[in-house]
Amino acid sequence: MTLTGTLPLLRTHRYGSLLSVTGWVAVTVTLVVVLLSLLAPVLAPYDPDFVDLSSVLGGPSSAHLLGTDALGRDMLSRLMFGGRTSLVGPLIVVAASTVLGLLLGLAAGWTDGWISRILTRVFDLLFAFPALLLAMLAIAIFGKGLIAPILAMTISYIPYVARLTQQLVVAERSRPYVQAYRVLGFRTPWVVLGRVMPNLVPTVGAQSTLNFGYVLADLAALSFIGLGIQPPTSDWGAMIEEARGALLGGHVLPAFLPALVVVLIVVSINVIGEELSDRIGGKLS
Amino acid sequence: MSKLLEIDQFTLHFPGRGALLNEVSLHVDDGEAVALVGESGSGKSLTTRAALGLFPETSRLSGSVKVQGLDTTSAPAAKLLQLRRNRASMIFQDPRAGINPVRTVGDFLTETLVRWRGLSREESVERAITQLEQVGLRRTKEMMRQYPHQLSGGMLQRVMIAAALLDSPELLLCDEPTTALDVTTQAGILELLREQQQARAMGMLFITHDLNLAASLCDRVYVLRKGEVVEHGAACDVFLSPQADYTRQLVGATPRIELDKVPTAPAADGTMPLLSVKGLGRRYELPGGEMLTALNDATFTLAPGGSLGVVGESGSGKSTLARMIVALETADEGELAINGRVRAPRPLRARERKLLAKDVQIVFQDPYLSLDPRIAVGKAVADVFRLHQGQGRADAVQSARELLERVGIGPERFESKPRALSGGQRQRVAIAKALAARPKLLVLDEATSALDVSVQAQVLELVEEVREQLGLTILFVTHDLAVVSRLCAELLVLQQGQIVEQGPTAKILSAPTSDYTRTLLDSRPRALWEEQPA
């Protein structure tokens, strides 16, 4: 399984600690963003949808820490509330694709016959479809909103989890400890679900963490092209799209801030996922 | 005499952790063969690497490691490169790990000659071919165009030796160069090393865990334990009258064939054999569509309470046989019956497997892979009691505790994960797990070959003990005749899927009838002071 690589200069592992300094920074960034989004109803200074045409496209001030957008809405509040929709989508996609991918991967990896062959081909087929394309297809059928993209993304991210699981299972089932379970007469479902699967969860979890970043970026892109979350619900991708006009007028912040948040969180989650899979990979070998 | 390699009070440690090597002093003179003997973790590889100036990162050093006067602990990188290129060579345990798999043997051998010696392509090829012939390889011109995967492990190790000798080194460092090889192949490599070392008057430092090997090759010996030299001296003195407790223990634990200690089979009383194998065969299809016969027409029986050793080299079909007995593989032909029940010639159903589990269990070779890494050892054993003895959770835990204690795992280890245990302890747990099913037949597939000799001796003792106490029948699969001679009353010798000899162990070892068994016996390393076979 090839995973995207982080820059070598980001590798500053210290012996014994779970993550490097960079890793902990990434965790902090992620936690801050998640907490601010979760607590938006309590912490946000304004209603995210409150239009104040008297302070349109205002720069940062004491009243509006991060300024206002083209409709005079408070940027900070919109970013915080936007996080709720922007993070929930990937969370559902990752949870669903992990569970389904694990089960399908176990089935494909454990069996030798036609089940394994069919599943492997299906994974290949899904790999060939870009996630975004599948999502657009689903939107064309089911209409805009959050449901169709989440469904499509889940389906397109299943093979990432499933194929990794399949490879791990194939390696695992020839291990002596698994063969010992067979010789001892334990039933296959017990061995596979109760004993082998838990051993794969850390590695698969690391892959899913990486997926979270990609899904978030993909969903933001869908919102940006107007196929995802519909206005006025705040969403980072949609915010960038809405700020295009202001950008042409020389107002950078309304587009730049949501883009920055997306980049920050995607990079952070990638770093965490990379380091986790590195650590786990190192421990397993 | 000048000192070729002189290690003086050499200490290596990592900050905050104990010393891995503690004031190690040893020397190798010109033209002398010296053995460095120790078990895993003793620091023998670290010591050898130090001679080439290879130190683990972030380690702290003190003392000196001098090769012809050059101190590798402080020498500049350029000097060290020169040392490695011209004066010292090293041979490793796994020849495949040391050679680029996508380049030919010829590329591998000529690269350094062209780059560092400034020889022309033709000269290098010629030198390489001569060298390959010197190490006893044939069809060398062809071999130059072959890739590593086309050569056997033994041939490849000869290629590695040729590569090491190309530099005409004065010091040859050998790090367990024959451990991964079959005993007959090992014999050839040892002879080659001995011959080249004497012909070239090279100094040689030979690292091994095997006392017999050290004695067969070297004049002087250092015994290393936990980073300290506990004894050194002439090989025959050290082995025949060891002074240090540890050396004594090591010598005692080293398996050797002693005919008067071979167990004898109980007299045949006409009872039904526990295991009966008739014309058993197994073939595999190779990637090219060719068929490989892993086992052919194997026929033998094993009486209840008996002990059978199955001996062979890699590819002899011994593991295939073991795996078929425990139904991890299905035979292509022939009949296999355990306890009178004839095995159906197909993969077993869940219910059949559970029944079979009460008849036969297996212990695998690798102690690091045989246990589920996530499950505490007590629970692992208790699970088996719950499945097979129908015990409730509390009873199963109690039974597991008793059984583990019986195999030498104390209650303080009950909640430990396998990674917290040593190799020997893991193998004890694996044995306990197998015994918890209360099988009649226990198959041990090279179950002690991954262990250090002293640990191996203890585990063998345990096997003997439970065999007697529980009246178990044992089938021991191994490459090591000495191990079998201690444990098994009967013997079966396999060569390339064929049984070439079977019968009482004592009889076969004292008067083998097949050439192959004789070769196996003769290939066992013999101490220099013992009489060499004619």
Side-chain angles (χ1 to χ4, degrees), chain A residues 131-153:
Chain A
L132 274 179
L133 200 67
L134 206 67
M136 286 187 218
L137 196 72
I139 290 162
I141 297 169
F142 298 110
K144 296 175 183 177
L146 203 55
I147 307 297
I150 283 183
L151 201 71
M153 286 289 186

Side-chain angles (χ1 to χ4, degrees), chain B residues 458-478:
Chain B
Q458 292 159 10
V459 173
L460 287 176
E461 221 161 87
L462 171 68
V463 172
E464 238 172 330
E465 204 181 288
V466 294
R467 189 182 81 81
E468 271 168 30
Q469 288 175 358
L470 306 176
L472 271 180
T473 310
I474 298 268
L475 189 139
F476 202 111
V477 174
T478 179

Side-chain angles (χ1 to χ4, degrees), chain B residues 104-152:
Chain B
T104 62
V105 169
D107 286 342
F108 172 69
L109 289 173
T110 53
E111 184 179 26
T112 53
L113 292 175
V114 174
R115 280 184 73 168
W116 309 124
R117 292 290 157 89
L119 296 187
S120 74
R121 186 91 212 133
E122 291 71 37
E123 284 173 308
S124 314
V125 169
E126 214 168 285
R127 276 279 301 276
I129 289 178
T130 322
Q131 195 62 69
L132 284 177
E133 277 161 6
Q134 260 192 40
V135 297
L137 289 166
R138 269 168 293 171
R139 300 198 302 154
T140 48
K141 283 209 181 69
E142 253 172 74
M143 190 173 287
M144 292 285 281
R145 284 192 299 273
Q146 284 183 312
Y147 289 90
H149 72 266
Q150 295 171 296
L151 305 183
S152 70

Side-chain angles (χ1 to χ4, degrees), chain A residues 36 97 229 250-251 259:
Chain A
L36 284 180
S97 63
I229 303 293
H251 299 280

